[in-house]
Amino acid sequence: FLCEMSIAELRERIVLISEERERDLEEKRGDILAEKVSYKKMIEQKLDAISHNRELVGKEAEKKAQEKEKLKSPPQVKSTEIDALQRKLEERRAERLKMKRRSR
């Protein structure tokens, strides 16, 4: 079959085949580019999700630390109440010491 074709027909066929190959290559390049863009978008979404989760974890840790700090610090009692309780304690100690001395 090829022996019967003229040189012009062979050249035309070569041009058509090379054009077809070029179209295939362009299509593959487009597919690769689209895949690359899609992959980059997926990576960006995952990075956003990771940073969002880190933010949430950081806020939660800060919240827990604040709650822990609140639990550490004793509640503020009025100084008059403290003074009254200390006097009462001193009186009881003195009473207890008197009782010990009497029992000897």
Side-chain angles (χ1 to χ4, degrees), residues 38-49:
S38 172
Y39 184 74
K40 279 187 175 182
K41 187 176 180 179
M42 182 207 46
I43 294 292
E44 287 174 3
Q45 288 173 343
K46 292 205 183 235
L47 287 174
D48 287 343

Side-chain angles (χ1 to χ4, degrees), residues 46-58:
K46 292 205 183 235
L47 287 174
D48 287 343
I50 288 170
S51 69
H52 179 70
N53 285 339
R54 283 183 178 166
E55 230 176 84
L56 290 177
V57 167

Side-chain angles (χ1 to χ4, degrees), residues 12-14 23 26 31 51 53 58 66 68 74-75 78 85 91 94 103:
E12 185 180 331
R13 188 168 251 219
I14 289 173
R23 279 193 304 271
E26 286 299 318
D31 291 345
S51 69
N53 285 339
Q66 287 175 351
K68 192 174 182 181
K78 297 177 185 174
L85 290 172
E91 289 171 5
S103 64

Side-chain angles (χ1 to χ4, degrees), residues 2 4 33 35 40 52 67 74 84 92:
L2 288 176
E4 297 174 6
L33 184 62
E35 190 176 317
K40 279 187 175 182
H52 179 70
E67 288 175 8
R92 287 187 179 173

